[in-house]
Amino acid sequence: MTTVPTGSALRAARRRDRRVYTHSHPVLFGLLAATRHRAVTRVGGTVLVHGSEPYRQALTRIPLDRTAAGTTGGAARELSTGGTLFDQEGTGHRTTRRAVADDLGAAGVERLRPVWLDVLDRRLAPLGAGRDVDLVPLARELAGTTVCALLGTTGDPETIAEAAASAAAAAVRDHLPGPRPPGTARAAAAATARLEALLAPASGTAADTALRAMLAVAAVNTTVAALPRAVAWCADAQLWHHAADDRLRPALVGELLRVIAPSPLLPRVAAAAADLGGCPVRAGDRLILVARHAARAHGEPPDALHPAPPRVAQLVFGAGSHACPGARLARAQLDDVLAALAPHCPTVLRARVDRGAALPGWRSLTVRATSNHRSPENR
């Protein structure tokens, strides 16, 4: 029999998850919450985009300056020595995406799966003995190990994961609105250079090294942000019965990724005048595309029985030719994490927000199996 989570459990899950926003960037997310009732709104030279259709339109129909300061591509180009997947257009972009798609397609993900399953088996074994497990170090090792396998590097997975997290956090600090402490640009460049040195292939161009670094940054930071948050939602909202059901788990995975929206904001800059949801947009306007609101994460809790339409749920991965190529990988990893945890029905013991991370997430999230789900020999 499939049960439905109670309203109080869903509210508790949302309260906990909201902390990753309010404790890391309270002013920014306060502004976004205050303006989310309008699909598109202008604040000075910035256009905030919350609605699903305007968000999709901004990514697929409006010309964007992908090298502008303050955008993902702009940050990558400033800090790196070569072009990247995020700021390319035309033939260069298509060629790079084809190469990435080959590694992150169905066959590529199946090739990588044993790598993270080994991490899960080893890291989650203490749950069966009644011991606590912090899921953030698990997610960091899982991400680092996957990146090493994806890129064919023999570096230490946790060192690479830490370097990717540091590079992303430094870049965010250097591009946040308002005054910056002295040395932020220098620190961001140094963090990126360290990551590129760890990932540089034996032979290849600067652009090859830059692409490897940006793939590592994207994979590590989204994974470390997403997996612990998704598990906390399952524990607090009492969703483990859905996670244990092989038929429902894929829908639950999609719903959890929609609700946690690992990359909640996409900063872009318009390259030409346009109309966006009735709001005039000028060339040079900064666009803050709020993936979290476009995917209706703030108002619709995860529901594996009645999931959001794919057209909405997939917005957390972007839209159009620049949509995230790692969506399949993210879904596969979360599916395996939930399948491994479901027999333990873990609860959250302690959670601490990571105030310095590039993406909203937990610095630590400690879980323990419920007593009646331990293995018989350890009861």
Side-chain angles (χ1 to χ4, degrees):
M1 177 180 177
T2 300
T3 58
V4 178
T6 65
S8 59
L10 290 172
R11 287 192 294 273
R14 190 174 291 284
R15 277 197 304 272
R16 187 194 300 278
D17 194 61
R18 191 179 291 124
R19 285 171 50 198
V20 300
Y21 300 109
T22 59
H23 286 47
S24 57
H25 300 294
V27 175
L28 174 61
F29 282 95
L31 171 64
L32 296 178
T35 59
R36 71 187 181 201
H37 301 292
R38 298 186 62 180
V40 184
T41 188
R42 175 180 290 278
V43 180
T46 299
V47 178
L48 305 177
V49 182
H50 301 279
S52 301
E53 289 308 314
Y55 173 96
R56 184 180 291 104
Q57 180 185 356
L59 289 172
T60 58
R61 298 183 186 175
I62 294 181
L64 299 174
D65 182 350
R66 297 189 180 275
T67 63
T71 66
T72 307
R77 185 169 288 280
E78 286 178 25
L79 298 177
S80 182
T81 54
T84 74
L85 179 68
F86 300 97
D87 64 6
Q88 292 174 325
E89 292 287 2
T91 303
H93 176 251
R94 287 192 295 271
T95 300
T96 304
R97 284 198 61 103
R98 277 197 296 270
V100 173
D102 288 343
D103 292 330
L104 296 178
V109 168
E110 285 307 310
R111 177 179 63 83
L112 293 170
R113 178 171 256 125
V115 170
W116 70 70
L117 287 178
D118 179 69
V119 175
L120 290 175
D121 287 344
R122 177 166 35 81
R123 285 277 191 169
L124 294 179
L127 286 178
R131 297 197 297 274
D132 303 344
V133 171
D134 186 345
L135 294 179
V136 174
L138 179 154
R140 188 179 301 117
E141 182 184 355
L142 185 152
T145 303
T146 302
V147 163
C148 287
L150 175 66
L151 300 179
T153 181
T154 57
D156 176 64
E158 295 193 57
T159 298
I160 288 172
E162 185 276 328
S166 297
V172 167
R173 284 193 294 271
D174 189 41
H175 287 82
L176 282 174
R180 296 189 292 269
T184 54
R186 186 168 58 252
T192 302
R194 176 182 173 232
L195 176 62
E196 291 189 344
L198 289 169
L199 294 175
S203 62
T205 66
D208 294 331
T209 300
L211 175 60
R212 290 164 67 88
M214 291 309 296
L215 285 173
V217 165
V220 167
N221 287 278
T222 54
T223 300
V224 174
L227 295 185
R229 287 180 61 195
V231 172
W233 259 101
C234 275
D236 293 338
Q238 302 171 9
L239 299 174
W240 289 122
H241 55 293
H242 290 166
D245 189 326
D246 292 343
R247 297 165 301 174
L248 286 177
R249 192 169 56 251
L252 177 62
V253 165
E255 282 291 275
L256 288 169
L257 289 171
R258 176 183 66 82
V259 168
I260 62 178
S263 297
L265 305 178
L266 303 182
R268 300 290 187 266
V269 170
D275 180 271
L276 194 56
C279 177
V281 174
R282 303 182 294 261
D285 277 346
R286 182 180 299 276
L287 307 177
I288 302 298
L289 311 181
V290 189
R292 180 171 184 264
H293 295 164
R296 305 172 189 167
H298 60 296
E300 299 177 10
D303 187 345
L305 298 176
H306 305 95
R311 182 174 173 83
V312 172
Q314 291 171 3
L315 291 178
V316 295
F317 295 108
S321 62
H322 284 266
C324 174
R328 185 188 298 271
L329 177 67
R331 293 188 182 100
Q333 289 183 329
L334 180 53
D335 191 289
D336 285 340
V337 168
L338 297 184
L341 285 170
H344 302 286
C345 291
T347 58
V348 178
L349 298 182
R350 295 177 298 278
R352 186 157 57 107
V353 172
D354 192 339
R355 298 171 185 267
L359 299 175
W362 300 107
R363 186 175 182 83
S364 64
L365 186 94
T366 304
V367 300
R368 178 182 297 169
T370 53
S371 58
N372 61 331
H373 283 84
R374 292 189 209 165
S375 58
E377 64 271 20
N378 290 311
R379 287 182 182 171

